[in-house]
Amino acid sequence: MTDTTAFSRMHDAVNSGDLELIEKTIDEVCDPGLVFHAPVPTGVSGLQALKQVWRVLLPAFPDLHVEIQDVITQGDKAVYRNTVTGTHLGDYRNLTPTGRPVRYDEIFVVRQSGGRITEIWGVVDVLAQLRQLGAVEV
């Protein structure tokens, strides 16, 4: 069974809302050569891309909360199905703060080796997020 300690530590840091703690925890639980497959800004990769996600999200959604719904483990991988909630109180994707709440889903597959996260694949329902912020009509 996969040890989920590293991801659990990162999850706890994320829900603290403390960017400094999040970045420190990423450095501690992720391999320096982390491969990160997710919707991230271009021009950055690995640890810097993962940190950049939080540098963008936390100012925009200071009350951001990630709730793990399911965890499935097999071999060196774990799959996390999460629900994310927050209130849009800062600039985000060229949108000025709307004060609107958001709730969207995400799924992450995390590979570990030697107790550290070495690879992450992420699927985030950005369309639901943007629709709730009034940026996209469906």
Side-chain angles (χ1 to χ4, degrees):
M1 184 170 172
T2 301
D3 179 7
T4 59
T5 304
F7 189 85
S8 293
R9 285 190 55 212
M10 191 161 65
H11 178 260
D12 291 345
V14 163
N15 281 331
S16 75
D18 180 341
L19 182 58
E20 186 176 323
L21 175 62
I22 293 168
E23 291 187 349
K24 178 182 176 207
T25 303
I26 287 170
D27 286 335
E28 291 172 358
V29 303
C30 294
D31 186 83
L34 174 74
V35 179
F36 186 47
H37 313 274
V40 296
T42 58
V44 292
S45 61
L47 293 176
Q48 290 309 311
L50 185 56
K51 290 176 183 180
Q52 185 63 27
V53 167
W54 298 107
R55 290 178 191 140
V56 169
L57 284 175
L58 285 181
F61 304 94
D63 61 345
L64 187 112
H65 180 76
V66 179
E67 183 177 344
I68 297 173
Q69 302 295 334
D70 289 304
V71 180
I72 301 166
T73 61
Q74 182 177 357
D76 62 351
K77 294 181 188 157
V79 177
Y80 297 86
R81 183 178 66 85
N82 305 323
T83 300
V84 181
T85 56
T87 309
H88 183 215
L89 300 175
D91 291 337
Y92 180 69
R93 295 184 177 251
N94 299 318
L95 295 171
T96 57
T98 63
R100 293 179 180 180
V102 295
R103 179 184 180 91
Y104 58 93
D105 298 313
E106 60 184 18
I107 296 174
F108 284 91
V109 179
V110 177
R111 181 193 310 267
Q112 290 190 183
S113 178
R116 297 186 90 178
I117 297 169
T118 58
E119 196 163 6
I120 301 172
W121 294 263
V123 179
V124 178
D125 191 351
V126 176
L127 180 60
Q129 180 190 71
L130 294 175
R131 189 176 61 240
Q132 292 170 59
L133 294 175
V136 174
E137 289 186 32
V138 177

